[in-house]
Amino acid sequence: MDLTPTAWQLWIVAALVCGALEIKLSGFVVMWFAVGALAASLAAALGLGINFQLFVFTAVSAALFGASRTIFKNVFMRTASHLKTGVEAMLGQEAVVVEALHDAHGGTVRINGELWTARSLSGGVVEGERVTVEQVEGLKLWVRRPSAALSVPERELKKERG
């Protein structure tokens, strides 16, 4: 009695190992290698060579991986909106002036419970007034009064920065 495993049995073992890893890991990626190993075991059972078995394993795994990423993104993420975080989330939000914004050196505003250094694009702003964040430059916010329209010099300044 010969106990040497055949190629198709080794591919089945590889598929089972990949299946167990898929259960343990949470990436939904290793499953496609398990399916590729099952396809390669079928090729081995049909008596095809190792090169063809490896080709089947690679082709099936890559095709399923690529298709699943596209399908899952289109099916499960089609109604999801882009979530803005960090600096991107501050643009367009209102902030409250904590320290008056003077033309010369700026001041401080509070946005989302945090204090930020700010400069005004619409002239001086008194303490307690609400302003809108127009731009973030490093750790400095460029703000303007919500009702302030862009003047010609401010448009030029914005073009230079943006």
Side-chain angles (χ1 to χ4, degrees), residues 31 44 71 86 135:
M31 181 174 77
I71 290 169
Q135 186 176 351

Side-chain angles (χ1 to χ4, degrees), residues 87-150:
V87 173
E88 187 181 46
M90 284 194 280
L91 296 177
Q93 279 194 342
E94 279 194 352
V96 178
V97 177
V98 175
E99 179 185 319
L101 306 176
H102 301 288
D103 291 334
H105 66 276
T108 307
V109 297
R110 181 180 305 275
I111 182 168
N112 298 332
E114 298 176 339
L115 295 176
W116 285 76
T117 302
R119 295 275 173 118
S120 175
L121 293 169
S122 56
V125 182
V126 297
E127 187 178 323
E129 192 171 343
R130 293 192 176 278
V131 291
T132 303
V133 177
E134 293 288 325
Q135 186 176 351
V136 180
E137 188 177 282
L139 295 175
K140 186 185 332 172
L141 303 179
W142 290 88
V143 298
R144 84 172 61 250
R145 288 185 183 96
S147 61
L150 279 177

